[in-house]
Amino acid sequence: MEQGRPTARSRVTLSRIMSAIDVNLYGTVHGGVLMKFVDDVAGASAARHSGGTAVTAAIDEIVFLEPVRVGDLVHAYAQVNWTGSTSMEVGVRLTAERWDAVEPSPIPVATAYLVFVAIDVAGRPRQVPPVLPSDSADRRRFQEAEIRRDHRLARRAAIQKARAEHADDQE
């Protein structure tokens, strides 16, 4: 296994103009379209970092900040924030450039955190190189990713405990 890879190596940017087929009943871009875009860019980042196939294991959080409209140019930025032995947390940020307005900078429209697992050709988890945060922002993201991981594991354990306590109720 390699010593590690810098965070910057995993960075990916995808951009796309939103069209009429992306619209929901309210006339804005459907959240599911944005979620797929988030998953696509995160998957590319995870594959770049791990050096091969990586699959979505969980969407830890997605927050929609502003509506996206038809004609907006949406940019998706992703990077691996944290790595375990076979899993990675990928952070994603979406921004939009409005087609009908000149803004000083793109508008933040969504953020998300996803967990990916690297897999081999047989579909089994495989080792990933550690991510090496190179600056204070990357170190902060790494620490925050560890907090999110601890919360995921604690939530899973609490749910399993509650289910075990109520197993008799299901008979």
Side-chain angles (χ1 to χ4, degrees), residues 87-163:
S87 64
M88 302 160 273
E89 183 199 86
V90 180
V92 177
R93 179 174 51 92
L94 296 184
T95 64
E97 293 181 45
R98 303 294 189 199
W99 70 271
D100 60 350
V102 177
E103 305 280 338
S105 58
I107 301 162
V109 295
T111 60
Y113 300 99
L114 298 87
V115 179
F116 279 78
V117 174
I119 59 169
D120 63 18
V121 292
R124 292 183 305 262
R126 63 180 172 80
Q127 292 287 117
V128 297
V131 67
L132 304 173
S134 53
D135 62 23
S136 61
D138 290 342
R139 285 188 289 279
R140 176 187 52 78
R141 288 184 190 101
F142 186 93
Q143 290 174 329
E144 291 171 359
E146 287 184 320
I147 292 167
R148 282 186 290 275
R149 180 177 186 272
D150 290 344
H151 285 209
R152 274 193 311 276
L153 295 175
R155 183 177 62 239
R156 182 184 307 154
I159 289 170
Q160 288 171 344
K161 179 181 176 193
R163 286 180 180 168

Side-chain angles (χ1 to χ4, degrees), residues 16-34:
R16 134 164 220 242
I17 296 173
M18 295 295 142
S19 68
I21 63 169
D22 301 320
V23 175
N24 61 25
L25 296 173
Y26 303 106
T28 57
V29 172
H30 193 284
V33 170
L34 297 175

Side-chain angles (χ1 to χ4, degrees), residues 38-101:
V38 163
D39 192 45
D40 288 345
V41 72
S45 178
R48 177 179 276 177
H49 178 81
S50 69
T53 303
V55 295
T56 311
I59 297 177
D60 196 37
E61 176 180 294
I62 186 162
V63 176
F64 297 104
L65 306 167
E66 290 285 333
V68 175
R69 302 183 311 232
V70 171
D72 288 352
L73 176 60
V74 178
H75 306 284
Y77 305 94
Q79 73 175 45
V80 171
N81 291 331
W82 175 89
T83 52
S85 57
T86 62
S87 64
M88 302 160 273
E89 183 199 86
V90 180
V92 177
R93 179 174 51 92
L94 296 184
T95 64
E97 293 181 45
R98 303 294 189 199
W99 70 271
D100 60 350

